[in-house]
Coordinates of all heavy atoms in Angstrom, one line a residue:
A1 N 0.8 -1.2 0.0 CA 0.0 0.0 0.0 C 0.9 1.3 0.0 O 0.5 2.2 -0.6 CB -0.9 0.0 1.2
L2 N 2.0 1.2 0.7 CA 2.8 2.4 0.8 C 3.5 2.7 -0.6 O 3.7 3.8 -1.0 CB 3.9 2.2 1.9 CG 3.4 2.2 3.3 CD1 4.5 2.0 4.3 CD2 2.7 3.5 3.6
I3 N 3.9 1.6 -1.3 CA 4.5 1.8 -2.6 C 3.4 2.4 -3.6 O 3.7 3.3 -4.3 CB 5.1 0.5 -3.1 CG1 6.2 0.1 -2.3 CG2 5.5 0.6 -4.6 CD1 6.8 -1.3 -2.6
A4 N 2.2 1.9 -3.5 CA 1.2 2.4 -4.4 C 0.9 3.9 -4.1 O 0.8 4.7 -5.0 CB -0.1 1.6 -4.2
R5 N 0.9 4.2 -2.8 CA 0.7 5.6 -2.4 C 1.8 6.5 -2.9 O 1.5 7.6 -3.3 CB 0.6 5.7 -0.9 CG 0.0 7.0 -0.4 CD -0.2 7.0 1.1 NE -0.8 5.8 1.6 CZ -0.7 5.4 2.8 NH1 0.0 6.1 3.7 NH2 -1.3 4.3 3.2
A6 N 3.0 6.0 -2.8 CA 4.1 6.8 -3.3 C 4.1 7.0 -4.8 O 4.4 8.1 -5.3 CB 5.4 6.1 -2.9
L7 N 3.6 6.0 -5.6 CA 3.6 6.1 -7.0 C 2.5 7.0 -7.5 O 2.6 7.6 -8.6 CB 3.4 4.7 -7.6 CG 4.6 3.7 -7.5 CD1 4.2 2.3 -8.0 CD2 5.8 4.3 -8.3
I8 N 1.5 7.3 -6.7 CA 0.4 8.2 -7.2 C 0.9 9.6 -7.4 O 0.5 10.3 -8.3 CB -0.7 8.2 -6.1 CG1 -1.5 6.9 -6.1 CG2 -1.7 9.4 -6.3 CD1 -2.5 6.7 -5.0
S9 N 2.0 10.0 -6.7 CA 2.5 11.3 -6.9 C 3.5 11.4 -8.0 O 4.1 12.5 -8.3 CB 3.2 11.8 -5.6 OG 4.3 11.0 -5.3
H10 N 3.7 10.3 -8.8 CA 4.6 10.3 -9.9 C 6.0 10.8 -9.6 O 6.5 11.7 -10.2 CB 4.1 11.0 -11.1 CG 2.8 10.4 -11.6 ND1 2.7 9.2 -12.3 CD2 1.5 10.8 -11.4 CE1 1.5 8.9 -12.5 NE2 0.7 9.9 -12.0
P11 N 6.7 10.2 -8.6 CA 8.1 10.7 -8.3 C 9.1 10.3 -9.4 O 8.8 9.4 -10.2 CB 8.4 9.9 -7.0 CG 7.6 8.6 -7.2 CD 6.3 9.0 -7.9
D12 N 10.1 11.1 -9.4 CA 11.2 10.8 -10.3 C 12.1 9.6 -9.8 O 12.6 8.8 -10.6 CB 12.1 12.0 -10.5 CG 11.4 13.2 -11.2 OD1 10.6 12.9 -12.0 OD2 11.7 14.3 -10.8
V13 N 12.2 9.6 -8.5 CA 13.0 8.5 -7.8 C 12.2 8.0 -6.7 O 11.6 8.7 -5.9 CB 14.4 9.1 -7.3 CG1 15.2 8.0 -6.6 CG2 15.2 9.7 -8.5
L14 N 12.3 6.7 -6.5 CA 11.6 6.0 -5.4 C 12.7 5.2 -4.6 O 13.5 4.4 -5.2 CB 10.6 5.0 -5.9 CG 9.7 4.4 -4.9 CD1 8.9 5.4 -4.1 CD2 8.7 3.4 -5.5
I15 N 12.9 5.5 -3.3 CA 13.9 4.8 -2.5 C 13.1 3.8 -1.6 O 12.2 4.2 -0.9 CB 14.7 5.8 -1.7 CG1 15.4 6.7 -2.6 CG2 15.7 5.0 -0.8 CD1 16.2 7.8 -1.9
L16 N 13.5 2.5 -1.7 CA 12.8 1.5 -1.0 C 13.8 0.8 -0.1 O 14.8 0.3 -0.5 CB 12.3 0.4 -2.0 CG 11.3 1.0 -3.1 CD1 11.2 0.1 -4.3 CD2 10.0 1.3 -2.5
D17 N 13.4 0.7 1.2 CA 14.3 0.1 2.2 C 13.7 -1.3 2.5 O 12.8 -1.4 3.3 CB 14.4 1.0 3.4 CG 15.4 0.4 4.5 OD1 16.1 -0.6 4.2 OD2 15.4 1.0 5.6
E18 N 14.3 -2.3 1.9 CA 13.9 -3.7 2.1 C 12.3 -3.9 2.1 O 11.7 -4.5 2.9 CB 14.4 -4.2 3.5 CG 15.9 -4.2 3.5 CD 16.5 -5.0 4.6 OE1 16.0 -6.0 5.0 OE2 17.6 -4.6 5.1
P19 N 11.8 -3.5 0.9 CA 10.3 -3.6 0.8 C 9.8 -5.0 0.6 O 8.6 -5.3 0.8 CB 10.0 -2.8 -0.5 CG 11.2 -3.0 -1.3 CD 12.4 -3.0 -0.3
L20 N 10.7 -6.0 0.3 CA 10.2 -7.4 0.1 C 10.3 -8.3 1.3 O 9.8 -9.4 1.3 CB 11.1 -8.0 -1.0 CG 11.1 -7.1 -2.3 CD1 12.0 -7.7 -3.3 CD2 9.7 -7.0 -2.9
N21 N 10.9 -7.7 2.4 CA 11.0 -8.6 3.6 C 9.6 -8.8 4.1 O 8.7 -8.0 4.0 CB 11.8 -7.8 4.7 CG 13.2 -7.9 4.4 OD1 13.7 -8.4 3.4 ND2 14.0 -7.2 5.3
S22 N 9.4 -10.0 4.6 CA 8.1 -10.5 5.2 C 7.0 -10.6 4.3 O 5.8 -10.6 4.7 CB 7.7 -9.5 6.4 OG 8.7 -9.4 7.4
L23 N 7.3 -10.6 3.0 CA 6.2 -10.8 2.0 C 6.4 -12.2 1.4 O 7.5 -12.7 1.2 CB 6.4 -9.8 0.8 CG 6.2 -8.4 1.2 CD1 6.4 -7.5 -0.1 CD2 4.8 -8.1 1.8
D24 N 5.3 -12.8 1.1 CA 5.3 -14.1 0.4 C 5.7 -13.9 -1.0 O 5.7 -12.8 -1.5 CB 4.1 -15.0 0.6 CG 2.9 -14.4 0.0 OD1 3.0 -13.6 -1.0 OD2 1.7 -14.7 0.4
S25 N 6.0 -15.0 -1.7 CA 6.5 -14.9 -3.1 C 5.5 -14.3 -4.1 O 5.9 -13.5 -5.0 CB 6.9 -16.3 -3.6 OG 5.8 -17.2 -3.6
S26 N 4.2 -14.5 -3.9 CA 3.2 -13.9 -4.8 C 3.2 -12.3 -4.6 O 3.1 -11.6 -5.6 CB 1.8 -14.5 -4.6 OG 1.3 -14.1 -3.3
F27 N 3.3 -11.8 -3.4 CA 3.3 -10.4 -3.2 C 4.6 -9.8 -3.7 O 4.7 -8.7 -4.2 CB 3.1 -10.0 -1.7 CG 1.6 -10.0 -1.4 CD1 1.1 -11.0 -0.5 CD2 0.8 -9.1 -1.9 CE1 -0.2 -11.0 -0.2 CE2 -0.6 -9.1 -1.5 CZ -1.1 -10.1 -0.7
R28 N 5.7 -10.5 -3.5 CA 7.0 -10.1 -4.0 C 6.9 -9.9 -5.5 O 7.4 -8.9 -6.1 CB 8.1 -11.0 -3.7 CG 8.6 -11.0 -2.3 CD 9.9 -11.9 -2.1 NE 10.1 -12.0 -0.8 CZ 10.3 -13.1 -0.1 NH1 10.3 -14.3 -0.8 NH2 10.6 -13.2 1.2
Q29 N 6.3 -10.9 -6.2 CA 6.2 -10.8 -7.7 C 5.3 -9.6 -8.0 O 5.6 -8.9 -9.0 CB 5.6 -12.1 -8.2 CG 5.6 -12.1 -9.7 CD 7.0 -11.9 -10.3 OE1 8.0 -12.6 -9.8 NE2 7.2 -11.0 -11.2
K30 N 4.3 -9.3 -7.3 CA 3.4 -8.1 -7.6 C 4.2 -6.8 -7.5 O 4.1 -5.9 -8.3 CB 2.2 -8.1 -6.6 CG 1.2 -9.2 -7.0 CD 0.0 -9.1 -6.0 CE -0.9 -10.3 -6.3 NZ -2.0 -10.3 -5.4
I31 N 5.1 -6.7 -6.5 CA 5.9 -5.5 -6.3 C 6.9 -5.4 -7.5 O 7.0 -4.3 -8.1 CB 6.7 -5.6 -5.0 CG1 5.8 -5.6 -3.8 CG2 7.7 -4.5 -4.9 CD1 5.0 -4.4 -3.6
W32 N 7.5 -6.5 -7.9 CA 8.4 -6.5 -9.1 C 7.6 -6.1 -10.3 O 8.2 -5.3 -11.1 CB 9.1 -7.8 -9.3 CG 10.2 -8.1 -8.3 CD1 10.3 -9.1 -7.5 CD2 11.3 -7.2 -8.0 NE1 11.5 -9.0 -6.7 CE2 12.1 -7.8 -7.0 CE3 11.8 -6.0 -8.5 CZ2 13.3 -7.3 -6.5 CZ3 12.9 -5.4 -8.0 CH2 13.7 -6.1 -7.1
N33 N 6.4 -6.6 -10.5 CA 5.6 -6.3 -11.7 C 5.4 -4.8 -11.7 O 5.4 -4.1 -12.8 CB 4.3 -7.0 -11.7 CG 4.5 -8.5 -12.0 OD1 5.6 -8.9 -12.5 ND2 3.5 -9.3 -11.7
I34 N 5.1 -4.2 -10.6 CA 4.8 -2.8 -10.5 C 6.1 -2.0 -10.8 O 6.1 -1.1 -11.7 CB 4.3 -2.4 -9.1 CG1 2.9 -2.9 -8.9 CG2 4.3 -0.8 -8.9 CD1 2.4 -2.8 -7.4
L35 N 7.2 -2.3 -10.2 CA 8.4 -1.6 -10.4 C 8.9 -1.8 -11.9 O 9.4 -0.8 -12.5 CB 9.5 -2.0 -9.4 CG 9.3 -1.7 -8.0 CD1 10.3 -2.3 -7.1 CD2 9.2 -0.2 -7.8
D36 N 8.8 -2.9 -12.4 CA 9.3 -3.2 -13.8 C 8.5 -2.5 -14.8 O 9.0 -2.3 -15.9 CB 9.4 -4.7 -14.0 CG 10.4 -5.4 -13.3 OD1 11.4 -4.8 -12.8 OD2 10.3 -6.7 -13.1
T37 N 7.3 -2.1 -14.6 CA 6.4 -1.5 -15.6 C 6.4 0.0 -15.5 O 5.8 0.7 -16.3 CB 5.0 -2.0 -15.5 OG1 4.5 -1.8 -14.2 CG2 4.9 -3.5 -15.8
Q38 N 7.1 0.6 -14.5 CA 7.1 2.0 -14.3 C 8.3 2.6 -15.1 O 9.3 2.9 -14.5 CB 7.2 2.4 -12.8 CG 6.1 1.8 -12.0 CD 4.7 2.3 -12.4 OE1 4.5 3.5 -12.7 NE2 3.8 1.4 -12.6
S39 N 8.2 2.8 -16.4 CA 9.3 3.3 -17.2 C 9.7 4.7 -16.8 O 10.9 5.0 -17.1 CB 8.9 3.2 -18.7 OG 7.8 4.0 -18.9
F40 N 8.9 5.5 -16.3 CA 9.2 6.9 -15.9 C 10.0 7.0 -14.6 O 10.5 8.0 -14.2 CB 8.0 7.7 -15.8 CG 7.1 7.3 -14.6 CD1 7.3 7.9 -13.4 CD2 6.1 6.4 -14.8 CE1 6.5 7.4 -12.3 CE2 5.3 6.0 -13.8 CZ 5.5 6.5 -12.5
L41 N 10.1 5.9 -13.9 CA 10.6 5.9 -12.5 C 12.0 5.3 -12.4 O 12.3 4.2 -12.9 CB 9.6 5.1 -11.7 CG 9.9 4.9 -10.2 CD1 9.8 6.2 -9.5 CD2 9.0 3.9 -9.6
S42 N 12.9 6.0 -11.7 CA 14.1 5.4 -11.2 C 13.9 5.0 -9.8 O 13.3 5.7 -9.0 CB 15.2 6.4 -11.3 OG 15.5 6.7 -12.7
W43 N 14.5 3.9 -9.4 CA 14.3 3.4 -8.0 C 15.6 2.8 -7.5 O 16.4 2.3 -8.2 CB 13.1 2.5 -7.9 CG 13.1 1.3 -8.8 CD1 12.5 1.2 -10.0 CD2 13.7 0.0 -8.5 NE1 12.7 0.0 -10.5 CE2 13.4 -0.8 -9.7 CE3 14.4 -0.5 -7.5 CZ2 13.9 -2.1 -9.8 CZ3 14.9 -1.9 -7.6 CH2 14.6 -2.6 -8.7
M44 N 15.7 3.0 -6.2 CA 16.9 2.4 -5.5 C 16.3 1.5 -4.4 O 15.4 2.0 -3.6 CB 17.7 3.5 -4.9 CG 18.9 3.0 -4.2 SD 20.0 4.3 -3.6 CE 19.2 4.6 -2.0
M45 N 16.8 0.3 -4.3 CA 16.3 -0.6 -3.3 C 17.4 -1.1 -2.4 O 18.5 -1.5 -2.9 CB 15.6 -1.8 -4.0 CG 15.1 -2.8 -2.9 SD 14.3 -4.3 -3.7 CE 12.9 -3.5 -4.5
I46 N 17.2 -1.0 -1.1 CA 18.2 -1.6 -0.2 C 17.7 -2.9 0.2 O 16.5 -3.1 0.6 CB 18.2 -0.7 1.1 CG1 18.7 0.7 0.7 CG2 19.1 -1.3 2.2 CD1 18.2 1.8 1.6
D47 N 18.5 -3.9 0.0 CA 18.1 -5.3 0.3 C 19.4 -6.1 0.6 O 20.4 -5.9 0.1 CB 17.4 -5.9 -0.9 CG 16.5 -7.1 -0.5 OD1 17.0 -8.0 0.2 OD2 15.3 -7.1 -0.9
H48 N 19.2 -7.1 1.5 CA 20.3 -8.0 1.9 C 20.4 -9.2 1.1 O 21.3 -10.0 1.2 CB 20.2 -8.3 3.4 CG 20.5 -7.2 4.3 ND1 19.5 -6.3 4.7 CD2 21.7 -6.8 4.8 CE1 20.1 -5.4 5.5 NE2 21.4 -5.6 5.5
D49 N 19.4 -9.5 0.2 CA 19.3 -10.7 -0.6 C 19.6 -10.4 -2.0 O 18.7 -10.0 -2.8 CB 18.0 -11.4 -0.4 CG 17.9 -12.7 -1.1 OD1 18.8 -13.1 -1.8 OD2 16.9 -13.4 -0.8
L50 N 20.9 -10.5 -2.4 CA 21.3 -10.1 -3.8 C 20.6 -11.0 -4.8 O 20.2 -10.5 -5.9 CB 22.8 -10.3 -3.9 CG 23.5 -9.8 -5.1 CD1 23.2 -8.3 -5.4 CD2 25.0 -10.0 -5.1
N51 N 20.4 -12.3 -4.5 CA 19.8 -13.2 -5.5 C 18.4 -12.7 -5.8 O 17.9 -13.0 -6.9 CB 19.8 -14.6 -5.0 CG 21.2 -15.2 -4.9 OD1 22.0 -14.9 -5.8 ND2 21.5 -15.9 -3.9
R52 N 17.7 -12.2 -4.8 CA 16.3 -11.8 -5.0 C 16.1 -10.6 -6.0 O 15.1 -10.4 -6.6 CB 15.7 -11.4 -3.6 CG 14.3 -11.1 -3.6 CD 13.7 -11.2 -2.3 NE 14.3 -10.3 -1.3 CZ 14.1 -10.3 0.0 NH1 13.3 -11.2 0.5 NH2 14.7 -9.5 0.8
I53 N 17.2 -9.8 -6.1 CA 17.0 -8.5 -6.9 C 17.8 -8.5 -8.2 O 17.5 -7.7 -9.1 CB 17.4 -7.3 -6.1 CG1 18.9 -7.3 -5.7 CG2 16.5 -7.2 -4.8 CD1 19.4 -6.0 -5.2
L54 N 18.7 -9.5 -8.4 CA 19.6 -9.4 -9.5 C 19.0 -9.2 -10.9 O 19.5 -8.5 -11.7 CB 20.5 -10.6 -9.5 CG 21.8 -10.5 -8.7 CD1 22.6 -11.8 -8.8 CD2 22.6 -9.3 -9.2
H55 N 18.0 -10.0 -11.2 CA 17.4 -9.9 -12.6 C 16.5 -8.7 -12.8 O 15.9 -8.5 -13.8 CB 16.8 -11.2 -13.0 CG 15.6 -11.6 -12.1 ND1 15.7 -12.2 -10.9 CD2 14.3 -11.5 -12.4 CE1 14.5 -12.5 -10.4 NE2 13.6 -12.0 -11.3
H56 N 16.3 -7.9 -11.8 CA 15.5 -6.7 -11.9 C 16.3 -5.4 -11.9 O 15.7 -4.3 -12.1 CB 14.5 -6.6 -10.7 CG 13.6 -7.7 -10.6 ND1 12.4 -7.8 -11.5 CD2 13.5 -8.9 -9.9 CE1 11.8 -8.9 -11.2 NE2 12.4 -9.6 -10.3
V57 N 17.6 -5.4 -11.8 CA 18.4 -4.2 -11.7 C 19.4 -4.1 -12.9 O 19.8 -5.1 -13.4 CB 19.1 -4.1 -10.4 CG1 18.1 -4.1 -9.2 CG2 20.1 -5.2 -10.2
D58 N 19.8 -2.9 -13.2 CA 20.8 -2.6 -14.2 C 22.1 -2.3 -13.5 O 23.2 -2.6 -14.0 CB 20.4 -1.4 -15.0 CG 19.1 -1.6 -15.8 OD1 19.0 -2.8 -16.3 OD2 18.3 -0.7 -15.9
W59 N 22.0 -1.6 -12.3 CA 23.2 -1.2 -11.5 C 23.1 -1.7 -10.1 O 22.0 -1.9 -9.6 CB 23.3 0.4 -11.4 CG 23.9 1.0 -12.6 CD1 23.4 1.1 -13.9 CD2 25.2 1.7 -12.6 NE1 24.3 1.8 -14.7 CE2 25.4 2.1 -13.9 CE3 26.1 1.9 -11.6 CZ2 26.5 2.8 -14.2 CZ3 27.3 2.6 -12.0 CH2 27.5 3.0 -13.3
L60 N 24.3 -2.0 -9.5 CA 24.3 -2.4 -8.1 C 25.3 -1.5 -7.4 O 26.3 -1.0 -7.9 CB 24.8 -3.8 -8.0 CG 24.0 -4.9 -8.5 CD1 24.8 -6.2 -8.5 CD2 22.8 -5.1 -7.7
C61 N 24.9 -1.2 -6.1 CA 25.9 -0.6 -5.2 C 26.0 -1.6 -4.0 O 25.0 -2.0 -3.4 CB 25.3 0.7 -4.7 SG 25.3 2.0 -5.9
L62 N 27.2 -2.0 -3.8 CA 27.5 -3.0 -2.7 C 28.2 -2.3 -1.6 O 29.2 -1.7 -1.8 CB 28.3 -4.2 -3.3 CG 27.6 -5.0 -4.4 CD1 28.6 -6.0 -4.9 CD2 26.3 -5.6 -4.0
L63 N 27.8 -2.6 -0.4 CA 28.4 -2.0 0.8 C 29.2 -3.2 1.4 O 28.6 -4.2 1.8 CB 27.4 -1.5 1.7 CG 27.8 -1.0 3.1 CD1 28.8 0.2 2.9 CD2 26.6 -0.6 3.9
D64 N 30.5 -3.0 1.6 CA 31.3 -4.0 2.3 C 32.1 -3.2 3.3 O 33.1 -2.6 3.0 CB 32.2 -4.6 1.3 CG 33.1 -5.7 1.9 OD1 32.8 -6.2 3.0 OD2 34.1 -6.1 1.2
G65 N 31.7 -3.3 4.6 CA 32.3 -2.5 5.6 C 32.1 -1.1 5.4 O 30.9 -0.6 5.4
R66 N 33.1 -0.3 5.2 CA 33.0 1.1 4.9 C 33.2 1.4 3.4 O 33.2 2.6 3.0 CB 34.1 1.9 5.7 CG 33.8 1.8 7.2 CD 34.8 2.6 7.9 NE 34.4 2.7 9.3 CZ 34.0 3.9 9.9 NH1 34.0 5.0 9.2 NH2 33.7 3.9 11.1
Q67 N 33.4 0.4 2.6 CA 33.6 0.6 1.1 C 32.3 0.4 0.4 O 31.6 -0.6 0.6 CB 34.6 -0.4 0.6 CG 34.9 -0.2 -0.8 CD 36.0 -1.2 -1.3 OE1 36.3 -2.2 -0.6 NE2 36.4 -1.0 -2.5
I68 N 32.0 1.3 -0.5 CA 30.8 1.2 -1.4 C 31.3 1.1 -2.8 O 32.1 1.9 -3.3 CB 29.9 2.4 -1.2 CG1 29.3 2.5 0.2 CG2 28.7 2.3 -2.3 CD1 28.4 3.7 0.4
R69 N 30.8 0.1 -3.5 CA 31.1 -0.1 -5.0 C 29.8 0.0 -5.7 O 28.9 -0.7 -5.5 CB 31.7 -1.5 -5.2 CG 33.1 -1.7 -4.5 CD 34.2 -1.5 -5.4 NE 33.8 -2.1 -6.7 CZ 34.4 -1.9 -7.9 NH1 35.4 -1.1 -7.9 NH2 34.0 -2.4 -9.0
C70 N 29.8 0.9 -6.7 CA 28.6 1.1 -7.6 C 29.1 0.9 -9.0 O 30.1 1.5 -9.4 CB 28.0 2.4 -7.4 SG 27.2 2.7 -5.8
A71 N 28.4 0.1 -9.8 CA 28.8 -0.2 -11.2 C 27.6 -0.9 -11.8 O 26.7 -1.4 -11.2 CB 30.1 -1.0 -11.2
P72 N 27.7 -1.0 -13.2 CA 26.7 -1.8 -13.9 C 26.7 -3.2 -13.3 O 27.8 -3.7 -13.0 CB 27.1 -1.7 -15.3 CG 27.9 -0.5 -15.4 CD 28.6 -0.3 -14.1
K73 N 25.6 -3.9 -13.3 CA 25.5 -5.2 -12.7 C 26.5 -6.2 -13.4 O 27.1 -6.9 -12.7 CB 24.0 -5.7 -12.9 CG 23.8 -7.2 -12.5 CD 22.4 -7.6 -12.7 CE 21.9 -7.5 -14.1 NZ 20.6 -8.0 -14.2
A74 N 26.6 -6.1 -14.7 CA 27.5 -7.1 -15.4 C 28.9 -6.9 -14.9 O 29.7 -7.9 -14.8 CB 27.4 -6.9 -16.9
E75 N 29.3 -5.7 -14.7 CA 30.7 -5.4 -14.2 C 31.0 -6.0 -12.8 O 32.0 -6.6 -12.6 CB 31.0 -3.9 -14.3 CG 32.4 -3.6 -13.9 CD 32.6 -2.1 -13.9 OE1 32.1 -1.4 -14.9 OE2 33.3 -1.5 -13.0
L76 N 30.0 -5.7 -11.9 CA 30.2 -6.2 -10.6 C 30.1 -7.8 -10.5 O 30.7 -8.4 -9.7 CB 29.2 -5.6 -9.6 CG 29.5 -4.2 -9.1 CD1 28.4 -3.7 -8.2 CD2 30.8 -4.1 -8.4
M77 N 29.3 -8.4 -11.3 CA 29.2 -9.8 -11.3 C 30.4 -10.5 -11.7 O 30.7 -11.7 -11.4 CB 28.0 -10.2 -12.2 CG 26.6 -9.8 -11.8 SD 26.2 -10.2 -10.1 CE 26.1 -12.0 -10.3
K78 N 31.3 -9.9 -12.4 CA 32.6 -10.5 -12.9 C 33.6 -10.4 -11.8 O 34.6 -11.1 -11.8 CB 33.1 -9.7 -14.1 CG 32.3 -9.9 -15.3 CD 32.9 -9.1 -16.5 CE 32.0 -9.1 -17.7 NZ 32.5 -8.2 -18.8
E79 N 33.4 -9.5 -10.8 CA 34.5 -9.3 -9.8 C 34.4 -10.3 -8.7 O 33.4 -10.9 -8.4 CB 34.3 -7.9 -9.2 CG 34.6 -6.8 -10.2 CD 34.5 -5.4 -9.6 OE1 34.6 -5.3 -8.4 OE2 34.4 -4.5 -10.4
E80 N 35.5 -10.5 -8.0 CA 35.6 -11.4 -6.9 C 34.8 -11.0 -5.7 O 34.6 -11.8 -4.8 CB 37.1 -11.6 -6.5 CG 37.9 -12.4 -7.4 CD 39.3 -12.6 -6.9 OE1 39.5 -12.6 -5.7 OE2 40.2 -12.9 -7.7
I81 N 34.4 -9.7 -5.6 CA 33.7 -9.2 -4.4 C 32.4 -10.0 -4.2 O 32.0 -10.1 -3.1 CB 33.4 -7.7 -4.6 CG1 32.9 -7.1 -3.3 CG2 32.4 -7.5 -5.7 CD1 32.9 -5.6 -3.3
L82 N 31.9 -10.7 -5.2 CA 30.6 -11.4 -5.1 C 30.9 -12.9 -4.8 O 30.0 -13.7 -4.6 CB 29.8 -11.3 -6.3 CG 29.3 -9.9 -6.6 CD1 28.5 -9.9 -7.9 CD2 28.4 -9.4 -5.4
S83 N 32.2 -13.3 -4.8 CA 32.4 -14.7 -4.6 C 32.6 -15.1 -3.1 O 32.6 -14.3 -2.3 CB 33.6 -15.2 -5.4 OG 34.7 -14.3 -5.3

């Protein structure tokens, strides 16, 4: 409901802090369907489950201690940081 309420105002950027936690798989898929169809919208999602978000994102920012790495997903996936 909060995501729908935020989308009504047509924001340029939507920041989501672990919006998929505590949701079952059908509700997670509904959230992804909404986000994937909003072509006007840029969004940033904070999540601890990289596998859950990988096929929905173009860029990743990874926090490792005090270091933040941001790059296109394909570039980060090649690096040892994910192994």
